[in-house]
Amino acid sequence: MVTGDVKLIGSWASVFVMRARIALNLKSIRYEFLQETYGTKSELLLKSNPVHKKIPVLIHDDKPVCESNIIVQYIDEAWSSYGPSILPSQPYDRAIARFWAAYVDDKWFIALRSILTAGGEEEKKAAIAEVEERTDHLEKAFIECSNGKPFFNGDHIGYLDIALGSFLGWWKVVELDANHILLDETKTPSLFKWAERFCNDPDVKPLMPETAKLAEFARKLFPKPQA
Amino acid sequence: MADEVILLDYWPSMFGMRTRVALEEKNIKFDYREQDLFNKSPFLLEMNPVHKKIPVLIHNGKPVCESLIQVEYIDETWPGGNSFLPSDPYQRAQAKFWGDFIDKKVYGPTRLIWGAKGEEQEAGTKEFIEMLKMLESELGDKTYFGGETFGYVDIAMIGFYCWFDVLEKCGNFSIEAECPKLIAWAKRCMKRESVGKSLPNSDKITKFVPELKKKIGIE
């Protein structure tokens, strides 16, 4: 089976890049990973994503695809006969998966990040409360989508698992930074167990960054204000 | 069994217009239910408990939220007739990219143009024009964003057209002067029955904005 020439511009630390890599792994697609240097943007990146100038960018036979969730959908469609389906088959289930993936990006991630950028203790507490409330929504979403199965997508990982699961590395880093559990076994038991299963998935495991390495990178990206 | 399709919407919403256009394009009969966003109905809150926003598309009792997700859902559920998204995966990804661009980059500045003053408003106007020019460049000399057929990106963008007059007045600029091809594209879209049925008149929006400002407490 001919897969064509596949390149992915990205970074080991990026959640959004990881989404694309998990999807490529699921489809067993070989690709060239072009690691961007932190603090600079390569010419290829600027040429391939002139609108947003951001990673990830998937380049398939010289044609660029941008935006992580769009890349994952593209991978599912371009290589539809390879490996399992990433999106559910029914239109309604697809709409629900897309809804929650958008929620992860537009609401949940924003709240998570604001813990790292919080100015003082009060701001941090408020950000933590917001993350807890939004994670609770995701717990309900998991129960609704999984229908008793191990993943949001059912028997194997899919679009929404990838959208949220790619955050698990950073999720741990933010927990350490906040000194507060953000994925609580008692408060969100289904998500907690799902997280373990997701991280152990063979298409995910090699990509999940080490917490210590990511925490060090986070300190560079989100420097603490001087006292 | 006939499909039951309900749309919870708010007449000036450019997002709601997307779903209206999509339903009309597919000739789907639907029950349009106007919502009062300043006094949200229990039904709206039940159907969209997460965001509490319109539009909400309810198909045989099951809600679908977020306008572009609704447009894709409509395309997939009623595949006959005009397909909104191309069949080629790369073309589909491009269409979704521009739909996402409109949501992330075009909508935000419009709020500053009609809702803010002074430097903030000027910055909004400048950014809006910049974003429209990017869209116009993507359109090029094509009839529609997807080529010869009216589709996803056209649907994503056309609702903004009825807001152009009020934006021009507030921001003191001419969109036609800046992006003539985009205006020509919009006029072509307006000739479509689905669009004519779904968009309110520009002057209705222009009259509405000062009332909206009062309601949300901005001068």
Side-chain angles (χ1 to χ4, degrees):
Chain A
M1 290 196 274
V2 181
T3 59
D5 176 65
V6 185
K7 294 181 173 64
L8 183 73
I9 310 177
S11 153
W12 65 273
S14 162
V15 167
F16 306 102
V17 171
M18 192 181 308
R19 289 174 173 171
R21 298 182 82 178
I22 295 172
L24 288 165
N25 281 1
L26 271 173
K27 299 288 193 179
S28 305
I29 303 295
R30 285 227 174 90
Y31 62 98
E32 190 186 348
F33 185 61
L34 301 170
Q35 167 81 36
E36 285 284 296
T37 309
Y38 174 65
T40 63
K41 290 181 199 254
S42 69
E43 230 179 273
L44 183 63
L45 173 60
L46 297 174
K47 185 179 127 199
S48 313
N49 190 358
V51 174
H52 299 302
K53 307 176 176 51
K54 284 181 175 181
I55 51 164
V57 182
L58 180 79
I59 309 177
H60 183 199
D61 290 334
D62 295 322
K63 296 197 291 196
V65 182
C66 308
E67 294 301 299
S68 63
N69 285 338
I70 294 175
I71 293 172
V72 171
Q73 290 180 76
Y74 173 79
I75 290 167
D76 198 28
E77 292 169 8
W79 293 290
S80 55
S81 52
Y82 295 55
S85 277
I86 296 177
L87 264 101
S89 55
Q90 293 305 308
Y92 188 73
D93 298 330
R94 292 156 73 88
I96 296 300
R98 287 177 178 135
F99 172 86
W100 285 111
Y103 180 83
V104 167
D105 281 355
D106 300 339
K107 295 285 183 187
W108 183 86
F109 161 58
I110 303 300
L112 188 78
R113 194 173 59 179
S114 59
I115 295 176
L116 287 175
T117 58
E121 273 313 301
E122 281 310 304
E123 228 183 284
K124 197 174 249 190
K125 266 196 203 146
I128 290 171
E130 210 165 54
V131 171
E132 286 182 331
E133 190 194 320
R134 291 172 186 189
T135 305
D136 195 56
H137 272 133
L138 292 172
E139 168 83 0
K140 294 193 180 82
F142 179 81
I143 294 164
E144 183 191 315
C145 296
S146 65
N147 225 358
K149 301 245 168 111
F151 298 104
F152 281 95
N153 199 44
D155 289 312
H156 56 82
I157 68 172
Y159 184 71
L160 184 50
D161 301 278
I162 294 171
L164 181 62
S166 300
F167 276 100
L168 284 163
W170 278 93
W171 208 325
K172 274 197 203 92
V173 166
V174 178
E175 272 188 342
L176 291 172
D177 181 88
N179 194 25
H180 187 104
I181 293 177
L182 294 170
L183 184 57
D184 194 313
E185 192 170 1
T186 50
K187 290 185 188 162
T188 54
S190 307
L191 272 186
F192 186 86
K193 291 190 199 88
W194 160 83
E196 265 178 48
R197 287 193 291 268
F198 182 84
C199 288
N200 283 319
D201 185 284
D203 291 318
V204 173
K205 207 165 178 177
L207 298 171
M208 208 45 94
E210 275 172 36
T211 309
K213 194 177 174 199
L214 199 57
E216 192 190 326
F217 181 76
R219 281 189 283 275
K220 243 199 284 181
L221 211 56
F222 299 99
K224 294 294 164 200
Q226 298 297 325
Chain B
M1 195 191 85
D3 280 315
E4 186 203 50
V5 181
I6 298 168
L7 179 65
L8 305 182
D9 201 350
Y10 182 49
W11 70 270
S13 164
M14 45 193 90
F15 302 104
M17 286 172 215
R18 292 167 170 178
T19 315
R20 286 173 233 167
V21 170
L23 289 166
E24 294 287 355
E25 278 286 320
K26 297 278 189 177
N27 281 315
I28 295 159
K29 285 206 165 72
F30 64 101
D31 176 9
Y32 178 93
R33 295 190 192 173
E34 188 67 38
Q35 301 297 300
D36 179 357
L37 297 186
F38 298 93
N39 186 17
K40 293 180 182 181
S41 70
F43 189 52
L44 170 59
L45 299 176
E46 185 197 332
M47 291 289 110
N48 190 356
V50 174
H51 299 302
K52 306 174 174 56
K53 284 181 173 179
I54 56 89
V56 183
L57 178 73
I58 308 164
H59 182 205
N60 294 334
K62 300 202 290 193
V64 179
C65 304
E66 297 299 296
S67 58
L68 289 182
I69 294 177
Q70 291 161 357
V71 171
E72 204 169 350
Y73 174 80
I74 290 165
D75 204 28
E76 291 176 357
T77 304
W78 291 282
N82 185 14
S83 276
F84 303 149
L85 282 162
S87 52
D88 171 67
Y90 183 72
Q91 299 303 327
R92 292 165 71 84
Q94 293 313 297
K96 287 180 186 184
F97 175 86
W98 288 104
D100 178 70
F101 173 85
I102 291 163
D103 275 354
K104 285 199 176 105
K105 298 282 189 178
V106 177
Y107 174 66
T110 63
R111 289 219 61 167
L112 292 176
I113 299 174
W114 63 259
K117 280 194 255 196
E119 267 178 43
E120 239 192 335
Q121 187 189 49
E122 267 174 50
T125 306
K126 192 166 169 242
E127 205 182 326
F128 182 65
I129 294 169
E130 212 183 298
M131 298 301 120
L132 284 189
K133 287 191 165 156
M134 278 190 180
L135 270 175
E136 193 182 54
S137 167
E138 172 59 22
L139 174 69
D141 291 314
K142 301 190 295 246
T143 309
Y144 299 112
F145 279 95
E148 284 308 304
T149 46
F150 180 79
Y152 185 84
V153 183
D154 307 284
I155 295 172
M157 189 60 203
I158 193 58
F160 286 80
Y161 182 61
C162 57
W163 280 78
F164 279 5
D165 274 357
V166 72
L167 293 174
E168 286 176 324
K169 282 191 172 78
C170 292
N172 194 27
F173 66 114
S174 158
I175 296 174
E176 186 149 21
E178 302 282 353
C179 301
K181 284 185 177 171
L182 203 62
I183 296 296
W185 158 83
K187 288 181 175 163
R188 281 194 291 276
C189 292
M190 288 303 293
K191 291 203 180 109
R192 297 182 77 84
E193 200 182 328
S194 63
V195 178
K197 272 183 172 177
S198 306
L199 266 59
N201 277 335
S202 286
D203 34 278
K204 216 178 158 195
I205 299 280
T206 306
K207 281 194 191 102
F208 162 75
V209 168
E211 287 166 27
L212 176 66
K213 284 168 83 160
K214 251 191 233 155
K215 266 191 166 162
I216 59 181
I218 39 176
E219 260 313 299

